[in-house]
Amino acid sequence: MTAGASPPVQEVERAQQVAERAAAADGAVRTLRLSAAREEARQQARQRAERLVGVASAFEPVTFPALPDNWVAAGLDISKAEVVGDKLVQTLPSGARVVLTLDPELQSYLDQMLQANLVPHGGVVLMEPHTGRVLAMAENSRRGEEYDNFTRQAQAPSASVFKIVTAAALIEGEGVDPHQEVCYHGGTRGLTVRNIEGSPRLDNRCNDLEGALAWSINSLIAKQAYKNISADELLAWAERFGYNQEIPFELPVQISEAYRVDDPHERARAAAGFWHSHLSPIHGAMIGGAMANDGVMMRPTLIDRYEAPDGTTLYEFEPQVFREVMTPETARKLSQMMVTTAERGTARRYFGHNRLFPNSVEVSGKTGTLSNQDPFLRFTWFVGFARHKEWDDDRGVAVAGLMANDPAWHLVGPQGASEGLRRYYQLARERRQNVDEAVASR
């Protein structure tokens, strides 16, 4: 080894240190490059996210309202509904689904009845008195578009159905004893001044308010109204029953009109049902429901549930009060009085004396008949409700039947109402039996 030369071991160690420093420097450079790349990637991701947010903000969110503002515009049409299980369901153009309150079997039965009997214009409505749920709304119109949507049109005169309004005004408004006898004469086809004012010499028949409703005694009702009810009072009572009021419903309902009549004799005729008011079948069912529901008239509905296209429930029906028409006491008095109408009065042929109608069902209601002359159409009504005598949990069902016939009669309103109630309770009995059998088999 020459003088001044480094020992071999020291040279090796120095070389190792240089190599280690070089490797550390290279690793630091790679780490810095990787960190820079990661930061650049994060920055690019942030920029893409910001661009996506900007694009998304340009679009309105797609939402389904709890309820459409206009069901007709939304496409509601019960004729397009399909049976799904035990419900009628319609898929709207938006893809949302409407589950209807209508009973598929009851609705189908009444539709077929109206078509088979060739009635020129007819409609039957059944409704739950305590909820307003419409269980059937069957209609058929063969002549003229003015009678389309017959159950929702107030084209027909109220006729003697208006006597319900007058009776409530007399009992509750004027304190008239419904069992007080009043003597009268005439009035079967029309009402003269003498019929209305009364005549000691001619008034040779007597009855009370219950009999007047059961047998639709025009002169007795008119005489009582003439003596007791003013023009303002009669109009106010009509409006308590929902006349001259818009009826909130998913489909348009024509307003049932009642007019103020100042002439006392003509007002007495109006009180007995001779003109001056019009009524729709759905409104008629609401009146029947108010009698059954202690004087409370519920808001009618066709919609049980409304679902978004993905099946999410957006709305479920809850009952709403429409009007408090009369006191519970008045409603119960009227209801009991009008049982006579169905058992042995003007509707006996279709209820009390009809061997096909179940004796276990009690019916309360009012008939009405009045004719238009040009063109001739005879309108026949039944408005009321029914309850099963043996089912303690039965809260009843309200009904309105209206038929418009030409001189050749096909079907009358009380007959349509009778068939609707008969089929309703037949189905109810079958369903109760099915439930009982299912429980017993467990």
Side-chain angles (χ1 to χ4, degrees), residues 193-379:
V193 170
R194 186 170 288 182
N195 295 149
I196 294 168
E197 293 183 354
S199 167
R201 182 175 63 86
L202 297 175
D203 291 346
N204 55 9
R205 308 183 74 177
C206 302
N207 214 320
D208 60 11
L209 197 53
E210 179 176 335
L213 292 171
W215 294 98
S216 211
I217 303 173
N218 298 317
S219 48
L220 193 157
I221 294 284
K223 189 175 184 180
Q224 287 281 59
Y226 177 75
K227 290 181 177 180
N228 293 287
I229 305 176
S230 69
D232 287 340
E233 289 167 339
L234 188 62
L235 183 60
W237 271 96
E239 292 180 348
R240 283 177 69 164
F241 273 81
Y243 283 87
N244 301 333
Q245 314 295 319
E246 184 175 337
I247 292 175
F249 193 54
E250 290 86 3
L251 298 175
V253 178
Q254 187 176 9
I255 292 174
S256 300
E257 294 182 322
Y259 307 103
R260 177 189 170 91
V261 183
D262 290 313
D263 179 84
H265 296 103
E266 195 60 26
R267 181 168 65 253
R269 295 184 182 99
F274 283 95
W275 308 110
H276 304 292
S277 67
H278 292 82
L279 182 67
S280 66
I282 191 168
H283 188 185
M286 292 167 67
I287 291 174
M291 291 194 298
N293 194 37
D294 285 340
V296 177
M297 184 179 286
M298 302 302 290
R299 177 174 176 166
T301 186
L302 273 174
I303 308 299
D304 246 347
R305 192 166 68 254
Y306 177 57
E307 300 174 349
D310 64 0
T312 302
T313 297
L314 300 175
Y315 164 82
E316 284 189 290
F317 167 70
E318 292 184 1
Q320 297 182 47
V321 172
F322 177 50
R323 304 187 69 80
E324 293 185 4
V325 176
M326 52 192 151
T327 66
E329 182 183 6
T330 302
R332 287 192 287 269
K333 283 182 180 178
L334 277 177
S335 299
Q336 189 56 47
M337 289 161 61
M338 289 191 288
V339 169
T340 310
T341 304
E343 289 184 348
R344 57 182 185 274
T346 52
R348 65 192 183 282
R349 178 179 177 184
Y350 308 102
F351 297 103
H353 293 186
N354 179 2
R355 62 181 181 83
L356 297 178
F357 195 83
N359 293 328
S360 56
V361 175
E362 182 177 79
V363 179
S364 172
K366 184 73 192 77
T367 58
T369 303
L370 206 58
S371 299
N372 283 344
Q373 297 302 320
D374 187 21
F376 180 86
L377 277 177
R378 175 163 290 177
F379 297 95

Side-chain angles (χ1 to χ4, degrees), residues 401-419:
L402 171 64
M403 304 297 156
N405 285 283
D406 52 25
W409 285 40
H410 304 271
L411 189 69
V412 294
Q415 186 177 0
S418 173
E419 281 298 294

